[in-house]
Amino acid sequence: MIRALLLAALLAFPGLASAQEWVPRRNAEIQALDKVNARILTLRATVGEPARFGTLTILVRACHARPADEVPDAAAFLEITDERSPAGAGPVFRGWMFADAPAVNMFEHPVYDLRILSCR
């Protein structure tokens, strides 16, 4: 959670730390796992366009990567809805995911796992 807040501050105020620069990207690569049948798929989602996996709809609101001359990393802000959720329930996940630290802000679901791999 602290890392998510730090990234949000750095993205909002890029002058805070020049060594912590992030570059906006248009596409996110997301690893998706269906735990029931062990199906693994790499999704490519464009920022602002919904992608589907099983009963999930994944909307990437932002995707940022480190510059090529820095240690590789990616962060994406995702909104995930599940068609099996009650009407009007809202997203089952909304927040930042980090490629190098997937446990910082995990998507918890009984059937699916999602992980950000990269932003391109």
Side-chain angles (χ1 to χ4, degrees):
M1 183 66 171
I2 292 172
R3 186 177 174 122
L5 294 173
L6 177 61
L7 178 64
L10 291 173
L11 293 173
F13 304 104
L16 286 179
S18 61
Q20 295 290 322
E21 291 186 30
W22 292 83
V23 179
R25 302 290 188 203
R26 290 283 307 144
N27 298 299
E29 285 190 347
I30 302 167
Q31 183 178 43
L33 166 66
D34 183 328
K35 297 182 223 179
V36 173
N37 61 22
R39 180 175 63 132
I40 298 174
L41 181 68
T42 300
L43 302 171
R44 285 169 181 78
T46 301
V47 173
E49 296 179 17
R52 299 268 311 162
F53 182 70
T55 62
L56 302 178
T57 301
I58 304 151
L59 183 59
V60 179
R61 294 284 185 187
C63 200
H64 298 273
R66 294 291 193 119
D69 61 339
E70 292 187 27
V71 176
D73 195 5
F77 190 87
L78 306 175
E79 284 185 14
I80 303 167
T81 56
D82 189 342
E83 68 183 34
R84 292 184 181 167
S85 295
V92 292
F93 178 87
R94 178 184 290 141
W96 287 98
M97 281 190 185
F98 303 94
D100 75 335
V104 169
N105 198 18
M106 294 176 54
F107 168 64
E108 297 180 28
H109 192 277
V111 178
Y112 305 108
D113 273 337
L114 297 176
R115 178 179 178 214
I116 184 74
L117 297 176
S118 66
C119 294
R120 300 181 189 269

